[in-house]
Amino acid sequence: MTNILEVKKLCKWYGENNVLSDFSFRLKAGEKVALIGSSGSGKTTFFRCLTLLDKFQSGELSIDGVCYAKGEEIYFQPWEVRRNIVMVFQSFNLFPNYTVLDNIALPLVVVKNMNKNTAFHIAKRLTSILDIEECEDRYPNDVSGGQAQRCAIARSLAMKPKILLLDEITSALDPESIVKVIKYIDLAMNEEEFSGMSIILNTHLMNFAKKFADRIAFLCNGSIYEEHPAGEFFDQCCREETKRFVQPFVRPL
């Protein structure tokens, strides 16, 4: 598999706080990678830099071998990048004045210039896959957190990006909703049109990372300390920082 994403020596500062330090990363086409690490280790900041939501001081970002940002120089419009790299936020970020179905369909009309009939057909298919059909005509404030998160996931999948970023998508949910979100995103990934999508996820659920991802990378102090194939990570991790982090979390989902 070829690399669809390459990150070289990414550095990000907030004032005097160095959040990402010489952060380098590669993602293969169709690969699923889980990023783990304590809060403040740089996981979400990395996602925000990838999607150009945050500027960074140095480093280089490339997709499909084409550099789209180098330091503070941006070579493409942010919306062009966000067609290919789509982020699902932990806080959902749904439009409160649109129904669940509209939230999924309208970005296809606005961003991809798709006709409304096709867009709503895709949206309805995704509400079926993610089991939120009963919520189609409701507004985000009238559905549960788990249903809102599945709507946010459906909206991102509808765009069919090359890379999907899942930013701690279960962190704001109760245990029952967590299980449902994991179940239905797994079902969606088994659908033919989404099966080859590359995914990076941030999570504190170690068993989710192990079962869902191909590779797990541990972040500490703004860089990747250690990474291994997901099925071998917890047996192979050898750095003390990694062992100390994963030990309390390794328990059944």
Side-chain angles (χ1 to χ4, degrees):
M1 291 186 290
T2 58
N3 290 326
I4 192 170
L5 176 71
E6 189 164 0
V7 179
K8 296 180 181 178
K9 296 186 175 181
L10 184 65
C11 291
K12 170 64 181 175
W13 294 76
Y14 291 110
E16 296 183 355
N17 184 21
N18 186 198
V19 182
L20 297 173
S21 179
D22 283 336
F23 188 103
S24 295
F25 178 84
R26 291 180 178 180
L27 179 70
K28 295 178 180 178
E31 187 180 25
K32 294 181 286 189
V33 177
L35 306 181
I36 63 172
S38 61
S39 298
S41 60
K43 302 185 302 296
T44 296
T45 298
F46 172 49
F47 280 6
R48 293 182 64 85
C49 289
L50 285 182
T51 52
L52 304 182
L53 288 170
D54 281 358
K55 294 182 178 179
F56 50 94
Q57 283 74 27
S58 62
E60 186 175 325
L61 306 177
S62 300
I63 186 168
D64 278 340
V66 178
C67 177
Y68 66 91
K70 188 173 184 179
E72 296 187 356
E73 294 185 62
I74 308 299
Y75 303 121
F76 294 89
Q77 293 296 322
W79 64 265
E80 294 178 284
V81 173
R82 293 170 197 158
R83 277 185 169 183
N84 293 313
I85 306 177
V86 173
M87 180 172 172
V88 180
F89 297 84
Q90 56 182 298
S91 56
F92 319 144
N93 279 24
L94 299 174
F95 302 113
N97 55 323
Y98 288 112
T99 66
V100 163
L101 195 64
D102 288 339
N103 263 280
I104 301 168
L106 290 181
L108 294 174
V109 177
V110 175
V111 179
K112 289 202 166 186
N113 297 316
M114 190 177 291
N115 72 69
K116 285 187 177 181
N117 287 340
T118 302
F120 278 91
H121 175 76
I122 291 171
K124 279 185 166 290
R125 171 164 161 70
L126 281 162
T127 61
S128 175
I129 292 171
L130 293 167
D131 195 28
I132 49 173
E133 290 173 293
E134 65 185 67
C135 306
E136 287 181 351
D137 297 323
R138 300 182 196 169
Y139 292 88
N141 290 336
D142 298 325
V143 302
S144 70
Q147 290 167 331
Q149 187 58 282
R150 279 181 273 162
C151 175
I153 292 167
R155 181 177 62 181
S156 296
L157 288 175
M159 297 295 290
K160 293 187 181 178
K162 293 181 179 180
I163 301 169
L164 182 66
L165 308 178
L166 304 177
D167 185 26
E168 296 188 23
I169 58 170
T170 59
S171 65
L173 305 179
D174 61 79
E176 183 180 359
S177 295
I178 288 173
V179 171
K180 286 183 177 179
V181 165
I182 291 173
K183 171 187 174 181
Y184 288 112
I185 194 170
D186 197 43
L187 287 173
M189 289 301 100
N190 287 325
E191 295 292 325
E192 185 177 354
E193 64 261 51
F194 307 122
S195 60
M197 192 178 292
S198 301
I199 299 176
I200 313 173
L201 64 138
N202 297 339
T203 184
H204 289 297
L205 299 178
M206 299 298 104
N207 282 316
F208 178 33
K210 183 177 179 179
K211 293 175 182 177
F212 186 77
D214 302 308
R215 174 165 49 105
I216 298 175
F218 171 64
L219 273 65
C220 185
N221 296 327
S223 61
I224 295 178
Y225 263 41
E226 189 167 4
E227 56 184 323
H228 302 286
E232 304 168 13
F233 183 90
F234 299 101
D235 294 324
Q236 290 194 2
C237 62
C238 56
R239 297 191 66 166
E240 287 304 315
E241 296 89 346
T242 315
K243 291 180 178 180
R244 190 162 53 247
F245 176 80
V246 303
Q247 195 276 329
F249 294 97
V250 181
R251 55 178 178 265
L253 187 63

